Amino acid sequence: MQLTNYTDYALRTLLYLGSLSDHERAQVKDIAGAYQISFNHLQKIVHDLGKKGLLHTTRGKNGGITLAVSPTTVNLGELVRELEVFDLVECFNEDGQCLIRCSCKLKSVLHQAKAAFLAVLDQYTLDDLLENKQELYSLFMGKEKTD
């Protein structure tokens, strides 16, 4: 299985923001620069995560982005389900036109694989990924965290 860049960048954004201290805010340009990813693409993702209630965005001179929820409440499986379209093969899509769709056993196997993939993600929260928060912060900022 492979996640889209959209989901990958969303998860990376949450990791970046989760590594910050409670009083710290980030800018989209900071996150994009740290990961060397598209600023414009990341802006759309941040906007979407804000609409989903995961991020708090503040405009203006002292503006920035922060997590709007506790990392303990962000279940990775739920988030990936919200962000991904899991049409692994044509027959997963209702509009699929595969000739053997009605009798193919592959669809069932792939559904099981998808369920297993998501079941593993369901076991983790963003907080689990932040167990090495200080190390992540140091990597993002290029310095040691002081709090």
Side-chain angles (χ1 to χ4, degrees):
M1 301 207 108
Q2 183 174 354
L3 298 176
T4 60
N5 282 342
Y6 192 92
T7 301
D8 179 24
Y9 295 174
L11 291 167
R12 290 196 219 185
T13 297
L14 295 175
L15 281 168
Y16 186 101
L17 295 172
S19 76
L20 301 177
S21 300
D22 292 336
H23 65 280
E24 285 184 275
R25 295 179 184 195
Q27 306 290 322
V28 175
K29 67 179 170 100
D30 299 330
I31 301 169
Y35 288 119
Q36 298 183 3
I37 57 179
S38 166
F39 171 82
N40 291 332
H41 192 53
L42 192 59
Q43 239 180 344
K44 295 172 191 170
I45 293 166
V46 165
H47 177 73
D48 189 36
L49 292 175
K51 285 177 26 182
K52 291 182 184 313
L54 295 169
L55 302 183
H56 185 314
T57 58
T58 307
R59 291 181 177 226
K61 182 179 177 185
N62 295 319
I65 310 159
T66 58
L67 288 177
V69 296
S70 168
T72 60
T73 65
V74 181
N75 179 275
L76 299 182
E78 290 175 16
L79 181 60
V80 168
R81 281 180 187 88
E82 279 187 53
L83 299 176
E84 285 291 324
V85 176
F86 281 106
D87 291 346
L88 299 178
V89 289
E90 182 181 342
C91 59
F92 275 35
N93 185 323
E94 292 298 320
D95 298 330
Q97 302 296 317
C98 181
L99 174 67
I100 61 171
R101 179 180 179 165
C102 62
S103 63
C104 180
K105 302 296 181 194
L106 178 61
K107 182 177 180 179
S108 173
V109 172
L110 291 175
H111 271 292
Q112 289 177 45
K114 178 182 91 170
F117 176 76
L118 292 169
V120 171
L121 291 176
D122 285 338
Q123 297 174 41
Y124 296 95
T125 66
L126 177 59
D127 193 52
D128 295 318
L129 303 181
L130 293 168
E131 287 179 356
N132 60 340
K133 185 176 178 173
Q134 290 187 340
E135 183 180 350
L136 289 171
Y137 184 88
S138 297
L139 292 169
F140 292 134
M141 304 303 163
K143 59 184 176 182
E144 292 297 316
K145 191 169 186 175
T146 57
D147 75 13

